[in-house]
Amino acid sequence: MALQSFGVIGLAVMGENLALNVERNGFPISVYNRTAEKTDVFMASRAKGKNVVASYSLKDFVASLERPRKILIMVQAGKPVDAVIEQLKPFIEEGDILIDGGNSWYEDTERRTRELEPQGFRFIGMGVSGGEEGALNGPSLMPGGTQSSYEYLSPIFTKIAAQVDDGPCVTYIGAGGAGHYVKMVHNGIEYGDMQLIAEAYDLLKNAAGLDRQQLHEVFAEWNLTDELNSFLIEITADIFKYIDPETNQPLVELILDAAGQKGTGRWTIQTALDLGVAIPTMTAAVNARIMSSAKQERVYASRLLTGPSVKFQGDVKTFVNQVRDALYCSKICSYAQGMALLGTASKTLSFNLNLGEIARIWKGGCIIRAGFLNKIKHAFDENAELPNLLLAPEFMQTILDRQNSWREVLVQSAKLGIPVPAFSASLDYFDSYRRDRLPQNLTQAQRDYFGAHTYKRVDKEGVFHTEWTKPAPTPVNV
């Protein structure tokens, strides 16, 4: 019997769709799922008539694959991944390649690599973005691990990845946990993008008074521009069109305003704090989801805490254009923060990331795919050591030209009592980054006052401490 080229463990939505994607692109597959019923349903429906072999034990599954075996693990991140690996070990052999395609914490990927490689097994931690549609028709793939393992898998990955004008949306990311790290930051940027769009919607609906048809038209028009053309803007326009068949009301307005999260946004914030990189837009987005989850408390507070009673008095068309500019400027800042985090991680964690290439593979398949990623790629192609996207000429000029609109949107938001935490955080990031002097000189003086933490001076070299309570204190060089 001929052996299969590729194996997939885990037949939830993403696993099924990736398996079908691999098979459709010419690679016979074997599948295994912990529950036999799920395998039976898959084989009788979506896999029917395709070059798919089902196995009902891991021993048979491994035996059905050609060597070196290539096994994609699509189970819940964390302990389930470790459990599957342990169950596979008695059956796999030296040189076999295990691929974790879930949203694993990058340090778990590093640990698994350290454990498996000395035993002769090869391990790839691969971020996969695109949701169920992308998994089936072409995702963005972010594989990390040993480069030789990636090269062996490359013929499959380049076929199943999304295809854009300059190639497939996959590249070798870097060693160890680099692939999952980049996917984590991708998700942090996604959080920021989604929150910025939500704030734009809130302003257009509750300040400018746009109805659902007008909201659809505005977002559909924005999606036609080079600046805001993106998957998330596109689906937002579609969402405003959808009418609930039961109530004949816009479905979006019937959805509970409490957003869930799976943890990758929080992970992004944690690692940014560890590396000392400011990502305020993503932090604001995560905080906004946390705040939204306190629904009952907010409903109670809304009866007691009043806000401004003023109403929007401006020109609606002008305001819509100002919100568009604020959204784009904030989006630039959000991506600038994400790329700055990747740049720092690349050096600190020895990932040696190619930021231009990462921007390129995000152009198709993934959730944050957007037209302006071409501009990001160009910026890093022009200057691989660019410290921040805000310094790239095109982005710099865009914000300088539109910052007045951006600021006016925040003024209106404050007057109307409409929270825009991600818009505000983005503008704060821009204003902090562009200033040559911030008030943390006072912070450092306070730290020295209560904790003798010392300080540096702008007028002379050295490290100093002052006895602040003594009369006429004299700085002492320590």
Side-chain angles (χ1 to χ4, degrees):
M1 183 178 98
L3 297 177
Q4 304 296 92
S5 299
F6 195 83
V8 177
I9 296 177
L11 292 175
V13 172
M14 290 294 286
E16 276 194 8
N17 285 352
L18 282 168
L20 292 173
N21 186 350
V22 172
E23 192 277 339
R24 187 182 67 248
N25 279 284
F27 303 96
I29 64 168
S30 287
V31 297
Y32 170 82
N33 194 74
R34 183 173 56 87
T35 57
E37 294 81 4
K38 178 68 174 173
T39 305
D40 289 338
V41 171
F42 178 63
M43 294 302 296
S45 56
R46 303 184 73 195
K48 190 173 182 179
K50 295 179 169 56
N51 197 341
V52 181
V53 169
S55 297
Y56 294 87
S57 72
L58 285 175
K59 181 178 180 180
D60 290 344
F61 169 76
V62 172
S64 72
L65 296 169
E66 65 184 20
R67 295 185 61 191
R69 299 171 182 98
K70 302 172 285 293
I71 299 172
L72 175 64
I73 301 170
M74 294 299 298
V75 301
Q76 185 178 353
K79 291 182 179 179
V81 177
D82 290 321
V84 169
I85 292 172
E86 287 303 311
Q87 292 161 13
L88 280 169
K89 279 183 179 180
F91 310 116
I92 57 177
E93 299 174 283
E94 185 175 349
D96 288 349
I97 307 173
L98 303 182
I99 310 151
D100 174 13
N103 276 329
S104 288
W105 172 235
Y106 82 97
E107 289 186 352
D108 284 344
T109 304
E110 300 269 3
R111 170 180 56 80
R112 291 169 186 141
T113 301
R114 290 193 301 269
E115 292 171 355
L116 289 167
E117 302 259 335
Q119 299 176 48
F121 309 128
R122 293 183 280 178
F123 189 69
I124 291 285
M126 181 169 71
V128 179
S129 179
E132 56 184 290
E133 180 184 347
L136 180 63
N137 298 314
S140 175
L141 301 175
M142 293 153 261
T146 56
Q147 189 158 5
S148 61
S149 298
Y150 169 75
E151 297 299 339
Y152 193 85
L153 295 164
S154 179
I156 298 175
F157 289 167
T158 54
K159 285 274 192 180
I160 69 171
Q163 308 294 316
V164 292
D165 56 350
D166 49 6
C169 291
V170 60
T171 191
Y172 173 67
I173 298 295
H180 278 138
Y181 193 96
V182 169
K183 175 56 163 55
M184 175 192 69
V185 176
H186 163 286
N187 285 19
I189 294 171
E190 178 185 310
Y191 272 58
D193 248 2
M194 294 174 73
Q195 178 62 25
L196 291 169
I197 293 170
E199 291 175 16
Y201 150 69
D202 197 5
L203 289 166
L204 296 179
K205 177 177 180 284
N206 294 308
L210 271 58
D211 61 28
R212 68 104 188 168
Q213 179 59 32
Q214 291 169 317
L215 287 167
H216 162 71
E217 291 171 358
V218 165
F219 278 87
E221 180 182 335
W222 287 355
N223 193 50
L224 297 176
T225 66
D226 290 337
E227 300 162 352
L228 293 178
N229 168 257
S230 67
F231 173 71
L232 287 170
I233 294 290
E234 177 187 350
I235 67 171
T236 302
D238 288 344
I239 286 168
F240 290 128
K241 283 195 306 184
Y242 194 91
I243 300 298
D244 175 45
E246 295 181 20
T247 63
N248 204 35
Q249 298 294 315
L251 179 58
V252 67
E253 302 302 338
L254 301 175
I255 295 175
L256 183 70
D257 56 318
Q261 51 183 315
K262 291 187 175 180
T264 47
R266 184 177 70 252
W267 289 350
T268 308
I269 295 169
Q270 289 171 344
T271 187
L273 289 172
D274 290 341
L275 295 177
V277 179
I279 55 167
T281 306
M282 290 176 246
T283 303
V286 172
N287 286 338
R289 293 197 189 191
I290 294 171
M291 182 67 79
S292 78
S293 68
K295 175 65 175 178
Q296 290 184 331
E297 194 173 337
R298 288 188 292 110
V299 170
Y300 177 72
S302 70
R303 304 185 187 117
L304 304 175
L305 304 176
T306 59
S309 57
V310 297
K311 294 184 177 181
F312 178 73
Q313 301 293 328
D315 178 75
V316 169
K317 184 175 181 180
T318 299
F319 187 64
V320 168
N321 289 333
Q322 289 173 332
V323 171
R324 178 200 63 208
D325 289 345
L327 177 58
Y328 186 48
C329 290
S330 298
K331 184 183 179 81
I332 292 171
C333 287
S334 182
Y335 278 76
Q337 294 160 37
M339 301 311 280
L341 177 55
L342 288 178
T344 299
S346 178
K347 296 171 183 174
T348 305
L349 303 176
S350 300
F351 287 154
N352 297 317
L353 303 178
N354 183 328
L355 300 187
E357 184 68 355
I358 289 170
R360 187 194 69 77
I361 68 168
W362 287 348
K363 287 167 53 178
C366 71
I367 301 302
I368 64 170
R369 60 184 183 265
F372 97 131
L373 282 160
N374 273 318
K375 298 178 181 179
I376 296 179
K377 178 183 183 302
H378 180 259
F380 285 108
D381 286 347
E382 289 285 300
N383 180 6
E385 299 300 318
L386 183 70
N388 194 292
L389 277 178
L390 296 180
L391 301 178
E394 184 170 7
F395 293 124
M396 177 170 56
Q397 196 58 49
T398 293
I399 289 185
L400 293 178
D401 290 344
R402 303 184 190 204
Q403 62 173 307
N404 288 341
S405 292
W406 192 10
R407 297 180 190 282
E408 182 58 30
V409 167
L410 266 70
V411 169
Q412 288 289 345
S413 301
K415 286 182 177 178
L416 298 170
I418 296 176
V420 285
F423 276 2
S424 298
S426 299
L427 182 58
D428 288 343
Y429 180 78
F430 171 72
D431 280 337
S432 295
Y433 193 71
R434 69 175 181 81
R435 290 186 64 187
D436 67 345
R437 188 160 174 85
L438 293 169
Q440 274 63 49
N441 53 314
L442 175 59
T443 303
Q444 200 61 18
Q446 292 169 328
R447 294 180 73 244
D448 189 58
Y449 187 112
F450 66 68
H453 292 294
T454 73
Y455 57 88
K456 295 181 180 179
R457 295 174 58 118
V458 298
D459 59 344
K460 62 178 73 173
E461 294 294 322
V463 178
F464 302 89
H465 167 61
T466 294
E467 297 292 337
W468 294 87
T469 56
K470 290 184 178 180
T474 301
V476 177
N477 194 326
V478 297

